[in-house]
């Protein structure tokens, strides 16, 4: 007789025969944290929506199974649902008269990519060749779903991947569902991809946001082959799933959609996120050791996604693009519906390229840390006597890697930075001579990693730094500019460039950028430099100056353009002086009008939150706005605004709300308002309470929710040595591994900010 209560949700099976049949019947509660099967009621119309999220090892929350990626099986589901509901799974289902949906058996697959989505979803359908396509979202959002654009990206993506992979789409349909209360960005369930509703836009968004949505759609589609058709044997190779999909998502944007600047966004944002993560004390090799399922979440980070994708870009440069994709095609044919390891992947590329990748894999995938590359020139009487690329590594991770890259040489001519030459080079060791430059006239700018083929931090030599600081706006190539922007940001983060100087250089050069993804990144970096890297005594003046710069650019932005939206939101966020604040308030009552600017849900809520943060919004401001927008998004925005108020009572209310455990999206909204560097005095009393709550949180919540709560509530806005010391005292105690990691990372970011602020004030 089987027990009715399972210990740790596990059932021990003893005395098994060669073949066994196990039948389990049971019931389980729906979740509200985005794991297992999540239940959601729409506050607009009270309709009910359900979706599953079983990655990476949570399928047991939905049904009894052997939850391990190399234990593949076929699955056939039956679901009883109310009349009027739609039910979607990995295969195309049929609905009986009694409300029973039947889904035929799937191909052989892993448990974590099975899925059930049910509710009163609105649906849209097309066909692409012999592949039925479906889009689904809840009814109250259906009017905002970009059906035509998403179908267009989907069709182009399917053609692109089938061509690049040399293997047809392997499943019988392709459904994409935009589900509420989703815990991730998206999930690659076979033929039943779930996306966060954040990709359904109720307000005017820029092409930066649309590019990211397109990349996410293509990322998940790439998984249909890499991850779903061919699956890793164990979770230590999950990095390859995600890195490959990330690389293919950006490549697909460039080659198959209108988003031709995707690699610039990758350099500006994705790779920058990777290098930041790679410099934390918790960094790890791309191929991480995953001894058990609890270790999976610890290592699903920027190393897994963005650094891994960057390493694949270098691998493609190393073996050649044709050999890379020939190897991928052979890999899919050899291992379809099976499980593989990293060795299988590399073997396929070795066969087509003729290169031994053992050493490359050890240095790039098996060692942590990011290298720094810098050009070193000896110049006499205007000519180069010798040139080299120097490579360094941090003391904790001293590995020097081989890099196949290009060195760009630029001259300033007629107020333009012109490319003189782009020299291919194989960099290895501490210093590699670039003999082609010897005897040439000294350039104004040398850019190591021209064309962005490798993963490394870049340091500009003194002359190149001076040239770029004043003439970055005179360089026409957006990818080269992205690499230089990244070098400037690394210097500010490393306390080698004052935060205030970074903002000044950025404002002096930013107008050359005309693509929204690039401008959006630069605005967010300037905001971060002001908040975290500028001396507190200079912060207000820096913010006022930035707000005025935003106002000036807003005034000359083309009506209804991306630039107008970006600079309007920048001004809202930076408004400090009374005229600036009055302008923000005027957006809500109609007194502030900008030709072409839609004062929609997002703009209005940004204004409400900004006024609340400054303490100039009356108590009922967010309540009145909620009446305009009585959706779950509106509820989260109002919670954000209430938590942002500079009042002790508001902070106490926010603290209790997060610790009491609402849904994860609501926790994130509240935490976003709770933290503010200008409210550090109000937040100081919560520092000790935070560290006292660590173990109680862990013991009273599931590990994922507890880890997430600990992360978002770390006192990162209290930038003081006291926060660093309190973290040290906590780390001296016995703590679960996930909490220890959160503390180490939070402390490192505070230390970095303190170093930058000290440098800024020196």
């Amino acid at each position: 007789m089987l027990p009715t209560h399972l210990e740790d949700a596990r059932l021990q099976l003893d005395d098994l025969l060669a073949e066994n049949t196990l039948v389990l019947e049971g019931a389980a509660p729906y979740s509200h944290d985005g794991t297992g099967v999540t239940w959601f009621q729409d506050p607009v119309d009270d309709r009910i929506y359900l979706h599953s999220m079983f990655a990476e090892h949570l399928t047991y929350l939905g049904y009894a199974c052997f939850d391990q990626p190399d234990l593949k099986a076929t699955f056939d589901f039956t679901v009883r649902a109310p009349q009027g509901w739609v039910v979607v799974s990995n295969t195309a289902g049929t609905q009986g008269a009694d409300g029973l949906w039947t889904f035929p058996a799937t191909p052989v697959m892993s448990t974590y990519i099975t899925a059930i989505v049910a509710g009163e979803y609105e649906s849209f359908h097309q066909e692409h060749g012999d592949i039925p396509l479906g889009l689904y979202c809840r009814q109250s959002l259906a009017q905002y779903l970009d059906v035509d654009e998403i179908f267009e990206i989907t069709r182009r993506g399917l053609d692109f991947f089938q061509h690049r992979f040399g293997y047809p789409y392997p499943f019988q349909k392709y459904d994409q569902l935009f589900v509420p209360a989703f815990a991730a960005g998206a999930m690659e369930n076979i033929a039943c991809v779930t996306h966060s509703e954040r990709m359904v836009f109720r307000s005017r968004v820029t092409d930066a946001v649309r590019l990211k949505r397109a990349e996410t759609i293509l990322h998940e589609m790439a998984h249909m082959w890499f991850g779903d058709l061919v699956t890793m044997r164990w979770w230590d190779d999950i990095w390859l799933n995600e890195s490959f999909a990330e690389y293919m998502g950006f490549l697909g944007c460039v080659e198959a959609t209108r988003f031709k600047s995707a690699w610039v966004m990758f350099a500006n944002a994705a790779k920058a996120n990777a290098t930041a993560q790679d410099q934390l004390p918790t960094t790890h090799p791309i191929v991480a050791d995953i001894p058990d399922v609890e270790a999976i979440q610890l290592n699903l980070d920027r190393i897994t996604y963005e650094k891994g994708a960057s390493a694949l870009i270098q691998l493609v440069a190393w073996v050649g693009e044709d050999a890379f994709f020939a190897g991928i095609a052979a890999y899919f044919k050899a291992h379809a519906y099976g499980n593989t390891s990293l060795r299988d992947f590399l073997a396929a590329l070795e066969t087509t390229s003729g290169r031994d990748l053992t050493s490359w894999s050890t240095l790039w995938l098996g060692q942590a840390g990011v290298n720094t590359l810098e050009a070193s020139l000896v110049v006499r009487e205007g000519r180069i006597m010798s040139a080299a690329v120097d490579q360094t590594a941090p003391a904790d991770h001293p590995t020097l890697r081989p890099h196949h890259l290009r060195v760009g040489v630029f001259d300033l001519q007629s107020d333009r930075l012109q490319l003189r030459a782009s020299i291919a080079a194989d960099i290895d060791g501490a210093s590699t001579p670039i003999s082609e430059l010897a005897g040439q006239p000294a350039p104004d700018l040398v850019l190591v990693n021209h064309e962005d083929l490798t993963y490394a931090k870049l340091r500009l030599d003194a002359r190149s730094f001076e040239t770029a600081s004043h003439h970055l706006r005179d360089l026409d190539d957006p990818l080269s500019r992205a690499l230089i922007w990244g070098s400037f940001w690394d210097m500010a983060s490393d306390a080698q460039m004052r935060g205030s100087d970074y903002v000044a250089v950025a404002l002096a050069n930013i107008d050359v950028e005309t693509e929204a993804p690039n401008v959006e990144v630069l605005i967010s970096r300037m905001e971060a430099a002001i908040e975290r890297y500028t001396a507190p005594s200079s912060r207000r003046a820096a913010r006022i100056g930035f707000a005025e710069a935003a106002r000036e650019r807003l005034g000359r932005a083309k009506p209804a353009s991306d630039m107008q939206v970006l600079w309007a939101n920048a001004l809202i966020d930076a408004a400090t002086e009374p005229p600036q604040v009055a302008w923000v308030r005027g957006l809500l009552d109609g007194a502030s009008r900008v030709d072409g600017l839609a004062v929609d849900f997002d703009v209005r809520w940004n204004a409400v939150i900004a006024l609340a943060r400054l303490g100039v919004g009356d108590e009922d401001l967010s309540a009145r706005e909620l009446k305009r927008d009585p959706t779950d998004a509106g509820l989260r925005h109002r919670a954000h605004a209430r938590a942002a108020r500079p009042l002790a009572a508001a902070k106490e209310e926010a603290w209790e709300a997060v610790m009491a455990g609402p849904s994860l999206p609501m926790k994130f909204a509240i935490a976003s308002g709770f933290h503010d560097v200008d409210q550090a005095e109000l937040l100081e009393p919560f520092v000790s309470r935070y560290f006292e709550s660590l173990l109680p949180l862990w013991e009273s919540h599931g590990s994922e929710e507890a880890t997430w709560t600990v992360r978002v509530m770390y006192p990162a806005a209290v930038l003081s040595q006291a926060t660093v010391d309190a973290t040290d005292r906590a780390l001296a105690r016995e703590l679960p591994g996930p909490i220890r990691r959160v503390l180490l990372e939070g402390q490192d970011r505070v230390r970095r900010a303190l170093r930058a602020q000290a440098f800024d004030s020196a």
Side-chain angles (χ1 to χ4, degrees):
M1 181 175 179
L2 294 177
T4 57
H5 174 73
L6 308 181
E7 185 68 25
D8 294 327
R10 297 290 186 265
L11 176 65
Q12 179 74 29
L13 300 178
D14 298 315
D15 302 323
L16 297 177
L17 303 175
E19 294 185 7
N20 303 270
T21 299
L22 177 66
V23 178
L24 294 178
E25 293 183 6
Y30 292 122
S31 78
H32 300 277
D33 64 359
T35 62
V37 181
T38 292
W39 182 95
F40 176 86
Q41 185 170 22
D42 192 334
V44 174
D45 56 19
D46 294 330
R47 288 186 168 92
I48 304 299
Y49 298 92
L50 307 173
H51 72 268
S52 64
M53 176 58 169
F54 295 152
E56 272 60 40
H57 62 287
L58 300 174
T59 316
Y60 72 90
L61 297 175
Y63 59 87
C65 62
F66 294 97
D67 200 1
Q68 189 171 312
D70 62 343
L71 297 179
K72 286 191 167 185
T74 61
F75 299 84
D76 53 277
F77 295 105
T78 56
V79 178
R80 189 176 301 281
Q83 291 295 328
W85 278 34
V86 173
V87 185
V88 184
S89 187
N90 306 103
T91 55
T94 56
Q95 182 183 20
D98 57 354
L100 188 70
W101 289 74
T102 303
F103 296 90
T106 68
V108 174
M109 61 187 290
S110 303
T111 52
Y112 79 99
I113 42 181
T114 59
I116 295 289
V117 182
E120 298 179 75
Y121 285 91
E122 188 80 25
S123 64
F124 306 86
H125 299 274
Q126 289 186 5
E127 289 194 359
H128 184 58
D130 60 351
I131 306 172
L133 308 179
L135 298 179
Y136 298 77
C137 73
R138 54 178 155 136
Q139 292 189 32
S140 65
L141 285 180
Q143 62 180 308
Y144 303 111
L145 187 65
D146 295 321
V147 174
D148 291 342
E149 180 171 306
I150 295 172
F151 270 139
E152 174 72 8
I153 293 168
T154 301
R155 291 193 301 269
R156 288 179 175 271
L158 287 167
D159 290 343
F160 168 75
F161 287 121
Q162 291 180 112
H163 168 70
R164 274 297 199 178
F165 293 160
Y167 196 103
Y169 176 70
F171 307 113
Q172 65 176 237
K173 66 181 180 68
Y174 195 71
D175 288 326
Q176 298 175 88
L177 304 104
F178 297 83
V179 299
F182 197 51
M187 180 60 205
E188 67 269 19
N189 314 301
I190 281 181
C192 185
V193 175
T194 43
H195 291 287
S196 167
E197 281 183 349
R198 292 192 298 273
M199 295 199 299
V200 179
F201 308 135
R202 299 188 308 141
S203 299
R204 164 75 159 82
V205 298
T206 68
D207 255 10
V209 180
R210 293 184 181 277
L211 191 163
K212 182 56 184 171
R213 179 173 68 183
E215 192 278 325
T216 300
I217 289 170
L218 295 177
H219 174 117
E220 302 308 323
M221 188 181 292
H223 276 307
M224 297 301 109
W225 287 264
F226 209 103
D228 293 3
L229 175 66
V230 181
T231 311
M232 69 264 156
R233 191 163 291 129
W234 179 243
W235 300 112
D236 49 2
D237 279 331
I238 194 171
W239 76 272
L240 188 52
N241 266 19
E242 299 303 343
S243 298
F244 187 86
E246 191 78 352
Y247 168 68
M248 292 305 304
F250 279 95
L251 183 66
C253 281
V254 173
E255 296 193 357
T257 77
R258 66 183 179 87
F259 299 104
K260 304 304 180 185
S261 62
W263 285 129
V264 180
M265 183 177 182
F266 182 86
N268 264 330
K271 188 180 289 189
N273 291 334
T275 56
Q277 182 89 43
D278 214 3
Q279 295 173 87
L280 293 173
T282 55
T283 189
H284 55 84
I286 294 174
V287 178
D289 180 33
I290 309 292
D292 52 47
V293 293
E294 292 296 331
I296 300 171
Q297 289 299 323
L298 285 177
N299 292 291
L300 275 177
D301 55 20
R302 303 297 191 182
I303 305 297
T304 304
Y305 285 78
E306 285 96 336
K307 182 180 178 180
S310 301
L312 288 180
I313 292 171
Q314 173 63 187
L315 179 58
V316 172
W318 196 256
V319 303
E321 185 175 282
D322 291 344
F324 181 83
F325 282 105
I328 294 301
Y331 174 82
F332 289 136
K333 290 182 177 69
H335 301 289
Y337 301 102
N339 294 82
T340 61
S341 66
L342 172 61
R343 186 62 247 166
D344 299 313
F345 174 74
L346 295 177
L349 300 183
E350 288 174 337
T351 298
T352 54
S353 70
R355 280 190 179 251
D356 183 347
L357 296 175
T358 304
S359 176
W360 186 94
S361 175
T362 299
L363 295 172
W364 273 95
L365 307 179
Q367 301 295 325
V370 57
N371 299 121
T372 299
L373 303 176
E374 181 175 357
S376 174
L377 276 66
V378 176
V379 177
R380 292 178 188 165
E381 298 180 356
R383 290 200 171 269
I384 300 172
M385 297 294 101
S386 64
V389 173
D390 294 338
Q391 179 179 196
T392 57
D396 290 345
H397 303 286
T399 300
L400 298 180
R401 296 175 176 83
H403 303 262
H404 179 74
L405 50 74
R406 304 189 74 85
V407 178
V409 180
F410 296 81
D411 298 316
L412 190 60
Q413 298 176 352
S414 302
D415 294 326
R416 307 304 301 169
L417 270 172
Q418 304 285 355
L419 178 66
R420 183 202 305 174
S422 182
I423 301 165
D426 286 322
I427 305 303
D428 203 357
S431 184
T432 302
I434 308 298
S435 59
E436 293 90 337
L437 288 177
Q440 291 195 22
D444 293 296
L445 171 68
V446 178
L447 179 59
V448 178
N449 197 27
H450 184 236
E451 298 184 8
D452 198 21
L453 299 180
T454 196
Y455 168 81
K457 293 171 63 175
L458 305 180
R459 282 288 184 265
L460 299 176
D461 64 272
R463 181 170 180 174
S464 296
F465 175 80
E466 184 70 13
T467 298
S469 297
H470 293 92
H471 295 285
L472 186 55
R473 62 182 178 270
D474 301 320
L475 178 58
D476 290 334
D477 177 32
L479 184 55
S480 294
R481 291 199 305 267
L483 296 172
I484 295 170
W485 283 123
S487 179
F488 286 161
W489 181 241
D490 285 336
M491 291 180 69
S493 301
D494 294 343
Q496 295 181 358
M497 182 181 189
R498 295 174 64 206
S500 52
D501 288 343
Y502 174 84
V503 176
V505 168
L507 287 174
N509 290 281
I510 194 173
D511 293 333
V512 69
E513 304 295 349
T514 58
E515 297 283 340
N518 309 336
V519 177
E520 183 176 71
V521 168
L522 295 176
I523 287 175
S524 68
R525 286 179 180 171
M526 285 188 281
E527 292 171 338
I530 291 169
E531 300 301 310
R532 303 189 67 79
Y533 296 162
T534 301
S537 60
S538 305
R539 187 183 298 141
R540 181 179 175 85
R543 191 180 294 118
I544 291 171
F546 178 67
E548 286 305 311
R551 178 192 282 273
E552 191 272 330
R553 285 163 174 81
L554 174 62
R556 54 184 164 90
K558 181 181 177 181
S561 66
D562 284 357
M563 295 302 110
Q564 186 183 63
V565 174
L566 290 171
W567 287 115
N569 284 319
L571 177 53
I572 291 169
D573 291 340
T576 302
E577 292 292 273
Q580 300 166 354
V581 176
W583 180 84
V584 174
R585 188 184 295 277
L587 291 172
L588 299 175
D589 61 22
S592 301
R593 295 182 182 275
V594 181
D595 184 27
L597 180 66
V599 184
D600 49 27
F601 291 123
D602 284 355
V603 171
R604 293 187 66 86
W605 277 117
N606 287 349
V608 168
I609 291 167
L611 294 171
R613 184 178 65 249
L614 294 169
V616 296
D618 62 75
E619 182 69 20
D620 295 330
L621 184 62
S622 62
R624 291 197 301 272
E625 199 60 34
L626 186 63
K627 290 182 180 179
R628 287 175 172 266
D629 182 22
T631 63
D632 56 306
L635 289 167
R636 291 193 297 272
H637 286 311
R638 191 193 183 213
H640 183 165
R642 289 185 61 81
R645 294 171 296 161
L647 303 171
K651 300 305 177 185
E652 183 66 35
E653 175 187 291
W655 173 269
E656 293 298 332
V658 172
M659 295 301 168
S663 67
L664 288 182
M666 183 61 77
K667 281 189 178 186
F668 181 77
I670 296 170
S672 297
F674 181 81
H675 301 289
D676 191 311
V677 293
D678 291 327
Q679 299 172 359
E681 289 187 13
L682 285 172
L683 297 174
E684 284 175 357
F686 293 93
V687 175
S688 59
R689 291 172 65 179
Y690 169 83
F691 290 107
E692 291 165 1
S693 72
L694 297 177
L695 287 178
L697 265 173
W698 184 261
E699 292 165 357
S700 60
H701 293 70
S703 60
E704 291 190 36
E705 184 177 0
T707 302
W708 198 92
T709 305
V710 169
R711 185 179 301 280
V712 298
M713 292 305 286
Y714 182 84
V718 184
L719 300 174
S720 68
Q721 187 60 40
T723 300
V724 173
D725 295 341
T727 308
D728 277 334
R729 289 192 292 273
L731 288 168
R733 298 153 49 194
E734 289 292 328
L735 292 172
I739 290 183
R740 180 170 295 277
R741 174 169 179 159
V742 170
L743 298 188
L744 286 168
E745 292 179 351
Q747 182 189 57
D748 187 81
R749 294 186 176 103
V750 171
R751 282 176 166 157
R752 183 176 291 273
L754 292 175
R755 289 195 298 270
Q757 290 179 2
F759 185 77
D760 186 76
S761 64

